[in-house]
Amino acid sequence: MTTSEPLSPVSRTALSVARVRAYESSRPDPLFVDPYAAAFVTAAGLEPGPTRPDSALARALVAHGILRTRFYDDRLLAAGADQVVLLAAGLDTRAYRLDWPAGTRVFEIDLAPVLAFKAQVLDGLGAVPRAERTALPADLLDARWPERLVAAGFDPARRSVWLAEGLLVYLTAEEAAALLTAVTGLAAPGSRLLVEQGGDLSRVPHDPALARLTGLWRGGLGPGTDGWLDGHGWTTGITPLVRIGEAYGRPLPDLSATRAFIEAQRRTAD
């Protein structure tokens, strides 16, 4: 199953995430169940993910992806906002699989080919969203995306929760700062932002089998992500991945030990 426009290299990383989610969903004791992830993998003509990745870096990335999915599931539902914005949503199916409160609107922003492929697969399965879902084709590097989001029904005067899952590492520092500045301008006081704390790319081990993925990384705001947010209208809290692994009963590979997630709350205008 294909669409008329091919996915870009960065967009294709969403298929890798879908493979991880399909693998976790097939386990006897899954941290989450994504009933659509395997269909994306099959539609793209890919083989299911291995039950045990070959390298230390691959094992760390799989563990990170699994824990990240469950952690963000929980935090999105706990945010208490009825406007949810998924930045570079990829093949995220949270609008279809989470138990959203009545009246929740989920806005998914991504490039048109990604959303078209996603719609083709989900429509073929007869999937029905469990929230009011709006798919917005837009390039987050285009400065006009905020006005398009508002035109689609997003209300900047009301609280919202934003998810940038696995996104900033694919942006330069300047691109990441511009994106987060736009989010800040749209987020009413009390809004939440979920994002990963950046790392030092020079410390990532070289793995030829993963070069097609890691070669796309640009680093975003790196280890200073929380500091940038604290200085631009947000109050941040950091949860180390190792603590999340402990909470969910999943031991972590050593390479995951320094990873962490940020949950930021928008302050009253400074």
Side-chain angles (χ1 to χ4, degrees):
M1 186 179 296
T2 60
T3 58
S4 57
E5 291 185 73
L7 302 183
S8 70
V10 172
S11 294
R12 287 191 64 83
T13 63
L15 292 167
S16 298
V17 176
R19 291 180 77 196
V20 170
R21 290 178 175 163
Y23 160 65
E24 177 63 16
S25 299
S26 70
R27 288 171 53 103
D29 58 343
L31 291 183
F32 58 87
V33 174
D34 185 339
Y36 310 105
F40 292 130
V41 176
T42 300
L46 302 179
E47 294 293 327
T51 56
R52 181 171 175 78
D54 295 331
S55 69
L57 178 58
R59 288 191 292 273
L61 291 175
V62 169
H64 180 270
I66 291 169
L67 290 172
R68 179 179 74 184
T69 297
R70 172 58 187 272
F71 179 74
Y72 286 155
D73 283 357
D74 291 346
R75 299 317 300 158
L76 284 169
L77 291 176
D82 62 3
Q83 295 187 113
V84 180
V85 184
L86 308 179
L87 298 167
L91 302 178
D92 186 310
T93 62
R94 290 184 173 96
Y96 295 82
R97 64 179 181 81
L98 294 187
D99 189 15
W100 298 103
T104 301
R105 293 198 67 179
V106 177
F107 297 88
E108 298 183 11
I109 306 176
D110 212 319
L111 299 176
V114 179
L115 294 177
F117 172 76
K118 184 175 184 175
Q120 191 172 15
V121 174
L122 293 176
D123 290 349
L125 295 172
V128 178
R130 304 175 72 177
E132 184 180 347
R133 174 179 177 262
T134 299
L136 180 62
D139 186 344
L140 291 171
L141 299 182
D142 184 337
R144 295 169 294 181
W145 73 262
E147 63 188 64
R148 295 190 59 199
L149 178 62
V150 173
F154 177 82
D155 184 355
R158 294 174 38 240
R159 287 195 308 119
S160 51
V161 57
W162 300 73
L163 176 61
E165 183 174 15
L167 168 61
L168 297 189
V169 71
Y170 294 101
L171 305 180
T172 65
E174 293 76 15
E175 290 167 343
L179 175 64
L180 293 178
T181 297
V183 170
T184 301
L186 291 167
S191 295
R192 303 273 179 167
L193 170 65
L194 302 169
V195 66
E196 283 117 283
Q197 174 74 316
D200 181 357
L201 294 187
S202 68
R203 300 178 61 184
V204 176
H206 176 64
D207 185 336
L210 295 172
R212 67 188 185 284
L213 172 66
T214 58
L216 299 171
W217 291 353
R218 299 294 177 261
L221 293 169
T225 304
D226 60 328
W228 189 97
L229 289 168
D230 282 328
H232 291 80
W234 300 84
T235 298
T236 59
I238 297 180
T239 305
L241 185 62
V242 65
R243 190 187 307 167
I244 297 171
E246 292 169 353
Y248 293 136
R250 291 290 182 88
L252 291 174
D254 290 342
L255 287 172
S256 298
T258 59
R259 303 275 182 171
F261 298 141
I262 296 171
E263 183 173 7
Q265 182 169 358
R266 183 73 168 96
R267 298 192 299 266
T268 303
D270 295 331

